[in-house]
Amino acid sequence: MWSDEEFERITGPHRRELMTHCYRMLGSVHDAEDLLQEVMLRAWRASGDYDERRASPRTWLYRIATNACLTALEQRGRRALPSGLTGPGDDPETGPQRRLPEVTWLEPIPDALVDPAAIVASRGGIRLAFVAALQHLPPRQRAVLILREVLAWRASEVADLLETSAAAVNSALQRARARLATVAPAEDDLVEPDDPAGRDLLDRYVTAFEKADVDALERLLREDAILEMPPFLSWFSGREEFGRFIRWVCTRRGPWRMVPTRANGQPALAAYVDGGDGVPRAHSVQVFTVTRSGVARNVVFGDPALFTVFGLPSTL
């Protein structure tokens, strides 16, 4: 068995990419953090059996992580976004409708916890829409697609990890691609978070929202812009419906403060709202899909517990 120093030296460089892998598989930053701890414990206990002639430390750790995720997924349903469960709402001025306690919602992940290489080399593999689409796949297909398409493993390597044949891996990949094509939205003309045009657009969105200037905010939206708000089931599609809902929000709550952050390799905002005593309190983490023609999607995660994960204060 390795010493503490050896274990940290060998496993430490891989922890963030394993965290990213667990998040893609599970769709939850909280579950991924918990599972990563389990993976490290399993690796520690099995370190005496590790044989460098059979696999690199990275491959060995991915085997442990993938199998731990597959075991965890046996007891869990898929994580979802509202747009994956029902059609868009048609009356934004009634506010968000229905919470479904039986639904387990997808969660965003802060860029600070993601493997930097995943953001630089394969940003699409961590985007919220892609992770949401992965949740529609059976667990083993999900693992195959991530290992083959995102991490670029060879079919023989994936077959060895999953203890199956290369032919079975290729068949699972074909089925996963076909399913993904039906559930993953097209994300073309995207603006990266560091792009000056994207930063300027989001700055103008913040200004308009904080000033409750809905007309200005609507001008920043694409015609087909989508707004969804887990844990509420209702969501809205189209610039007009998006704007009507924001107008409804601004007449009932505020003032608002918005703090820039990053999630899933995308621009994001932490929203704080005055609780009536002049103190802005944590409200939601909002993840944006920004294109050259405007904001295409805003997913508003109304879970103040995410502020701790993102290293954000609960009040301003």
Side-chain angles (χ1 to χ4, degrees), residues 94-156:
T94 62
Q97 299 295 304
R98 295 178 61 193
R99 288 175 179 260
L100 297 179
E102 68 274 18
V103 173
T104 307
W105 299 104
L106 190 74
E107 294 176 352
I109 186 170
D111 281 11
L113 295 182
V114 175
D115 174 26
I119 296 177
V120 174
S122 183
R123 191 184 301 273
I126 198 66
R127 288 192 188 279
L128 199 62
F130 178 72
V131 177
L134 285 176
Q135 307 308 303
H136 290 267
L137 302 179
R140 285 179 69 87
Q141 284 186 25
R142 195 181 309 177
V144 167
L145 188 131
I146 292 169
L147 293 167
R148 290 281 284 122
E149 299 279 87
V150 180
L151 299 175
W153 284 34
R154 296 190 300 272
S156 59

Side-chain angles (χ1 to χ4, degrees), residues 209-275:
F209 196 95
E210 291 182 341
K211 290 182 176 180
D213 187 346
V214 179
D215 291 336
L217 187 146
E218 284 185 347
R219 290 193 289 271
L220 303 173
L221 304 176
R222 283 196 351 181
E223 183 64 35
D224 58 352
I226 288 173
L227 174 68
E228 47 190 328
M229 303 156 287
F232 294 104
L233 184 62
S234 54
W235 61 283
F236 303 106
S237 178
R239 178 188 295 140
E240 182 180 347
E241 302 296 282
F242 192 133
R244 286 175 62 199
F245 180 79
I246 297 300
R247 196 179 302 277
W248 180 89
V249 168
C250 289
T251 61
R252 285 160 176 77
R253 302 194 71 178
W256 294 81
R257 289 277 305 280
M258 312 292 274
V259 176
T261 185
R262 298 277 187 89
N264 295 79
Q266 299 171 235
L269 296 171
Y272 294 80
V273 65
D274 189 334

